[in-house]
Amino acid sequence: MERIDILSLTYEELLEEIILMGEPKFRAKQIFSWLHEKKVTEFGQMTTLSLPLRKRLEEKFCINALKITKRLASSIDDTVKYLYQLPDGNYVETVWMEYHHGVSVCVSTQVGCRMGCQFCASTIAGFVRNLTAGEILLQIYEAERDMGRRIDSIVLMGIGEPLDNYDNVISFMRILSDPNGRGMSLRHVTLSTCGLVPKIYRLTEDVSGVTLSVSLHSPSDERRSEIMPVNRSYKIAELLEACRSYIKTTGRRVTFEYAVIEGINSAVQDAKALAALLRGMQCHVNLIPVNPIAERSFRGRRKTAELFQKTLEELGINATVRRTLGSDIQAACGQLRRNAHEEETRR
Ligand code: SAH
């Protein structure tokens, strides 16, 4: 019988299994804490449990691990990029970023992506599979082990569309915030989406507090549909309506991501149209000169992004140009995994 991946179980799911094993409830609390607070890698390390129980757990469950295949440390700042190999041989990327307010880690939620955004390296070779909740958590745990420090915040902005792996992402957030384990406040977790509207509505029902970031990238439906196929299903007006509802129910502001691409969405006219769309909304615009990827000719310039910001600010919209971290270590997500995949297929 295949063993159960214990790191992917929420506290309630683990409790159910422990009760089925005929063990008292408090054992579930102990085990959950060993896994998510003390981050043990083997049942043998759960020293508050009897040896026979550790053995029974070992027969029923497994504790997965990720292998660090590459570790690129930036020489410009303290950014570290990991290429992890998953238990089934696939790869994902995770980035460790140090800011004055603490350490933030950018995690992947899928192997590949089916969203098809034109400027994104993660989606070019298509979708392989969803990550389990445990695999999303492990990206953080392995990095913390490697760095010998705990992270302060998490952004779901690596490879994949988090809302396209909805159930596992929700389990990940439940495990992370459970008081029996790490008890992390979801205020420190930012979920970035390309705009799967029905799932944005569901999010407020299922978890509370998570910060929402929406990848907008154009104020025009026509242009957005060209660069982001998801816009053919959910138009900008619908998306912004979902954001307004999110702001209303959560009281939190929404961030809009905008990759400034020369000649595509970078004109002063675009900034004006964007400002008109967002007027009166409790939001913030995060501008980033697009990171060039090998397969496309898109280019970004910091000066253009700054001019875009100025126009937005003049029209009363909060905007910043994102500081680029780790620019010497292929920080544009998806590129490391693509290279590893290509190296393997060449062999
Ligand atoms: N699928 C989610 C999260 C992953 S991408 C989403 O779409 O939001 C994280 C962010 O990086 C998104 O805003 C995405 O649009 C942006 N991005 C992807 N490729 C980029 C590139 N080459 N340059 C700049 N930003 C990029």
Side-chain angles (χ1 to χ4, degrees):
M1 205 182 71
E2 204 178 317
R3 292 184 298 166
I4 301 170
D5 160 22
I6 198 168
L7 286 173
S8 291
L9 300 182
T10 60
Y11 173 70
E12 285 72 24
E13 289 164 345
L14 178 67
L15 181 61
E16 219 171 277
E17 294 291 340
I18 294 304
I19 290 171
L20 276 177
M21 288 173 77
E23 289 292 326
K25 277 184 174 180
F26 73 91
R27 291 280 176 228
K29 273 189 197 287
Q30 287 179 313
I31 298 167
F32 200 81
S33 160
W34 277 115
L35 291 169
H36 301 291
E37 237 179 337
K38 302 181 196 86
K39 297 180 292 194
V40 298
T41 51
E42 288 165 28
F43 290 103
Q45 296 166 320
M46 299 185 173
T47 50
T48 50
L49 310 181
S50 71
L51 278 174
L53 176 57
R54 287 185 237 168
K55 197 146 179 295
R56 283 179 67 212
L57 290 172
E58 176 97 56
E59 283 159 13
K60 195 173 162 88
F61 303 100
C62 61
I63 306 177
N64 285 335
L66 305 183
K67 193 172 136 214
I68 300 177
T69 318
K70 258 195 191 132
R71 181 188 189 282
L72 299 179
S74 168
S75 51
I76 306 171
D77 50 57
D78 293 319
T79 305
V80 178
K81 185 154 184 172
Y82 295 95
L83 178 71
Y84 289 120
Q85 189 165 38
L86 304 170
D88 71 348
N90 276 301
Y91 295 99
V92 288
E93 293 171 35
T94 305
V95 189
W96 175 281
M97 297 166 289
E98 299 196 7
Y99 295 94
H100 59 272
H101 57 266
V103 174
S104 179
V105 67
C106 173
V107 300
S108 298
T109 54
Q110 295 180 315
V111 180
C113 182
R114 59 177 132 223
M115 295 298 123
C117 299
Q118 285 297 301
F119 43 82
C120 181
S122 302
T123 193
I124 286 174
F127 172 76
V128 180
R129 70 168 174 89
N130 282 326
L131 293 187
T132 62
E135 286 168 333
I136 307 174
L137 286 163
L138 276 169
Q139 295 171 57
I140 301 162
Y141 296 179
E142 302 287 11
E144 287 185 329
R145 273 195 270 276
D146 181 61
M147 299 294 282
R149 274 179 75 181
R150 272 173 84 109
I151 55 107
D152 302 287
S153 61
I154 300 167
V155 292
L156 301 177
M157 285 194 185
I159 299 169
E161 166 50 46
L163 295 185
D164 188 38
N165 181 14
Y166 190 83
D167 293 342
N168 293 344
V169 165
I170 295 293
S171 291
F172 157 77
M173 293 201 264
R174 291 201 174 129
I175 298 170
L176 198 67
S177 57
D178 199 297
N180 293 304
R182 192 175 181 117
M184 184 166 175
S185 159
L186 294 181
R187 281 184 164 266
H188 304 301
V189 178
T190 300
L191 183 147
S192 179
T193 178
C194 63
L196 297 178
V197 168
K199 300 284 171 56
I200 295 177
Y201 285 106
R202 254 183 88 185
L203 198 57
T204 40
E205 292 164 21
D206 290 329
V207 282
S208 63
V210 49
T211 305
L212 184 67
S213 181
V214 172
S215 301
L216 197 55
H217 305 316
S218 174
S220 129
D221 272 322
E222 204 184 337
R223 188 36 64 88
R224 191 168 189 268
S225 295
E226 279 167 21
I227 55 174
M228 300 181 71
V230 67
N231 197 68
R232 295 174 204 156
S233 308
Y234 307 109
K235 297 280 183 287
I236 295 172
E238 275 177 84
L239 176 57
L240 294 184
E241 199 41 50
C243 294
R244 282 192 195 95
S245 152
Y246 196 86
I247 295 166
K248 201 162 161 225
T249 16
T250 62
R252 312 285 309 280
R253 75 174 189 184
V254 167
T255 299
F256 291 102
E257 301 291 329
Y258 198 105
V260 185
I261 314 172
E262 290 298 311
I264 301 283
N265 62 2
S266 60
V268 170
Q269 228 25 58
D270 293 312
K272 287 184 177 162
L274 182 64
L277 278 180
L278 303 184
R279 190 158 301 137
M281 229 168 143
Q282 198 183 327
C283 69
H284 180 89
V285 178
N286 218 340
L287 299 161
I288 175 171
V290 74
N291 268 313
I293 58 170
E295 292 82 355
R296 307 266 189 264
S297 56
F298 293 140
R299 288 292 170 266
R301 285 174 58 216
R302 195 158 187 95
K303 274 218 143 31
T304 313
E306 282 165 0
L307 180 63
F308 205 97
Q309 177 198 20
K310 196 166 155 269
T311 311
L312 288 178
E313 294 273 359
E314 279 167 7
L315 295 167
I317 305 292
N318 266 320
T320 41
V321 179
R322 204 198 290 171
R323 199 157 61 94
T324 40
L325 290 180
S327 52
D328 56 334
I329 52 168
Q330 308 186 61
C333 65
Q335 298 194 4
L336 264 191
R337 173 181 162 255
R338 293 264 296 138
N339 294 347
H341 184 70
E342 272 161 20
E343 270 168 34
E344 257 182 13
T345 43
R346 261 200 307 264
R347 250 184 246 146

